[in-house]
Amino acid sequence: MKLIELHIYGYGKLEDYVIGSVGQLQIFYGENEAGKSTIMSFIHSILFGFPAKQSSEIRYEPKNNPKYGGKIKAFFPDRGVAVIERVKGKAAGDVTVSLEDGTIGGEDLLKDLLNRMDKSIFQAIYSFNVHGLQNIHAMKGEELGRYLFSAGTLGTDKLFNTESFLTKEMEQRFKPSGKRPILNEKLKELKEVQTSLKIAEMQNEKYSELMTTKDGLTNKIAQLHKEIAMLEQKGLKLREYKRNEKLVIEAVTIESKIREHDPGFFPEDGFNRLEKLDEQLKVIQAKLLRIKEKKDHFLKELEMNRPNAELLGMETEIEARIENLLLYDQLKQEKRLLESKLEEISEEISQLNDKLHTDFNEGNILEINTSIFIKEQAENIQQTEQRLKEKKLELEADFEEEKKTLAELEARAEGAKGELLDEGKRNELVNELDLLANKERIQSELNYVLDQIDAAKSREDSEKIRRKKQQKKEYNQLLLLGSFFLIVFLWGITNGLWFLAGIGLAGLVFLLAARNKSSEKMPVEDRVLSKLLARERELKEALNSQREGSAFTIKNLLARDKEANQRYRELLIKIEQQHDRFEKVVQQFEAWEADSADVNRKRAELLKQFGLMETAGTIKVMDAYQLIDTLKQYFRERKRNKESLKKVTDSLMEMENSLKMLAERFLQNSNLAPVEAASLLKRKLREEIDQKSRYHGLTVKLEEVEEEHSSLQKEEVVIIQEKVGLLALAGTEGEDEFRQKAKAAAWVKNWSARLEDINYQLLASGMTDEDREKILTGVSLEEQIDENELRLEQSKAELTTQFDVIADVKHKVKVLEEGGIYSELLHKYKQLQHEFAEDAKEWAKFAVAKDLLSRTIDRYKDERLPKMLVKAEKFLSVLTDGGYVKIIPQLTGSGFLIERNDHMLFEANELSQATAEQVYVSIRLALAAGHYDRYPFPIIIDDSFVNFDYNRTGRIIKLLKEMSNNNQILIFTCHRHLLDYFTENVIISLQEKSTNIV
């Protein structure tokens, strides 16, 4: 989908606001409150519906305008241009979609155009802003990696937030090593109660025995209740049998009578049907006699009123001839007009031949080609001639202008050449400038050496003071050590300890050698200072040998000479360019002459095709074409008029001959005038038509009588067949046997009615066939009733005994329960089990959800993520100028590793803030580009690159420009410096368009 035009009727503060042309890459610039967010929300609302009133999104309903909504014109690759209009109506608004093929629809058509895209998914993939980058600033550690993965999956942080939410909810309920979560606490408490319950259960064995006895008594009481209910039901059934015993016996008796007197099959109401058929047969036979008399009367009338069939057969032709007679005078008038028109056309043809100095006729005029192609040739030749005349005037003016310009440039070049220095003078000034520059360099070096000499002398004085202090310190140290080694030496000699004497002597020798070595060292500063003094003398001698002069004056002379030389070279280049332009004008003159000769040749050839001779160029080609084309039209028109005249003459002759023939045939007079013959034929035809009408009326009446006669005959046959069929259906030979069988059937019918009444009474009382058989068994019903009553009394007595026993058991159980803690512990244990199970179910919901999310992430990483990362890596390489080249998914969970161009891997939290933002932008753009084949929607960006520096901003803009070759990209920004990266034709300034706001 590509947005083409936006028209806002009323949305927020924008009213009757039109953005006429939206390009493939479009920048919407405006300061705060200019309407950027309003336009973005408008696009979302028109495509997916206005936000609900209880939604957190702003509805942007206008305050002072009843109109709410607008329309968008967009191009869809498979459906063409569509206009989507949404106005205030139901919650999401009333939408109308119009396609360029005339199709009009509503929400369903819009959903088809958008490929069932959801608003939240569209905003997540194709619409992003600076908030995504702000989230990166707020995240630390592995959260950043998971956030980037979520952005690459859904375009938002929903996956990251969902994963964090599920983990948090699970940890609030249970941790394997935790103590405070709900399930951990309840599991600990459940184990404690279970231990106490087992101890109490061991001390209540008697309680278990009583509970077993109680359960047995409860089952026995239930069985007695069931048995008593069955006996009571059986007693009711037996008393019902006793009440219906007489009806059952009567039903058996009636069934016996029906079997004895049943005549078999007999038609329903057969006797009455036979009597009715006899009566109908007599009535039909009387009607047949009357209809036969009518038929004979109508046949006589028809013979007397038979019309002239030949004249009536010509009715259509006669009426047509009479109607055509009205055109007779018109045809005569048309004939006179055609003859006059032919004379005028012939005169026009003669005049056109005189203008062309030719003698065209119908034969040779058709040979001339006046097609559209020839007409185009004539127009081109005439236009070319006019253009060549204008071109000649332009070339003459250009020739004079270029010639004048060339002369001026040559004069200016001569003047500039005179201002130049000669070669020897210039070289002398350059050498002198070099010498002066060398003097300045020597002076600068001399100043530096003098500064170094002063510094060295200062260091030398400081070093002398330090050296004196150091020598004094070293002397004291040597004196102390010498005294020590001397004492050791003397102690060793005195006491005969030669080893100690040797150590003392060696120490004295070592100290003496060290003293001599330190006194022989020459100070380094003395050597440096001597070198600097020598260099000072050399520089002063070199400086005295330099000549005097002004470097500034020489530089000015050389600079002016350089400027003059530059002007001279520029003038020479301009002269050369002017020579080229002058030569081009000359070449254009030559080309004009060639074009002029070519058009003259084409003009002569075309006139020759027209059959005309060149007459000193006085005739124009287009005029000749138009005259010949008009002449052709006149010849065609004259031919059409001749053909029309012949048709009119033939029609007049045909009308006269046809009326003459009809008059001779039906009026026996061929000398009548056409009008008189038509009048007589019309009257004759009217008389025959009236007679035909009378004949037709008699024919219809006769057909009705015959149809009635035929119908009555069929009814007679049907009644006779029905009577025979009724006797056959009853299985009788004659009517007497049929009537005897009818009486037997009437008796059986009455008995059957009584039997049906009895069966209905028995059915209403609930008696079944099985119950009837039980009544007719011969066993006395009174004895069965007495036996059932006895068993019922015994069962009730046993039930009373069981009630007394179970009451005693329940009392004993109650005493045990009230006297111990087992019941309380059992109740608490069951309650804790139930609570733990409910909380575990709640934890399991989040665990299953997290597992499904993890599987979905793994599937995405295996199937869709690699394709998206190929694009993201390409984008990241562009944004980082090749600094980072790969984005690698973590092996487990969600997150990425980023590879630098030196193959060093970084986790997301190890990247700099700016690089993490570039990774985020690359992933978001790759996600949108990856969905483009299936969902070709525009990418909407709201100030997402304001934190980038100058170079990174340039690279992201370059990338977006390349992407705009496929995706339409809309950028909303309030930062003016971003406009420098785009041309004016892709920028829409919302401040300038604010004049459209009412």
Side-chain angles (χ1 to χ4, degrees), residues 827-846:
H827 174 72
K828 185 175 182 180
Y829 180 71
K830 295 293 183 182
Q831 183 177 1
L832 284 173
Q833 271 189 326
H834 176 73
E835 292 177 357
F836 182 82
E838 292 299 319
D839 291 336
K841 287 179 183 178
E842 192 68 21
W843 176 86
K845 291 179 184 177
F846 294 103

Side-chain angles (χ1 to χ4, degrees), residues 422-475:
D422 58 64
E423 190 68 21
K425 180 66 175 177
R426 186 185 302 109
N427 292 336
E428 183 181 350
L429 291 174
V430 171
N431 293 332
E432 188 174 350
L433 183 62
D434 290 340
L435 292 174
L436 291 174
N438 188 43
K439 182 179 179 181
E440 292 178 355
R441 182 182 60 78
I442 293 171
Q443 182 65 48
S444 176
E445 186 177 355
L446 178 60
N447 294 335
Y448 174 75
V449 169
L450 290 174
D451 292 340
Q452 292 294 316
I453 289 171
D454 292 338
K457 288 180 178 180
S458 177
R459 286 197 301 273
E460 185 179 4
D461 294 340
S462 299
E463 182 64 23
K464 286 179 179 179
I465 296 170
R466 187 192 66 78
R467 194 179 298 117
K468 287 179 180 180
K469 292 180 179 179
Q470 182 68 23
Q471 287 176 354
K472 185 177 180 181
K473 182 179 178 182
E474 289 176 355
Y475 176 77

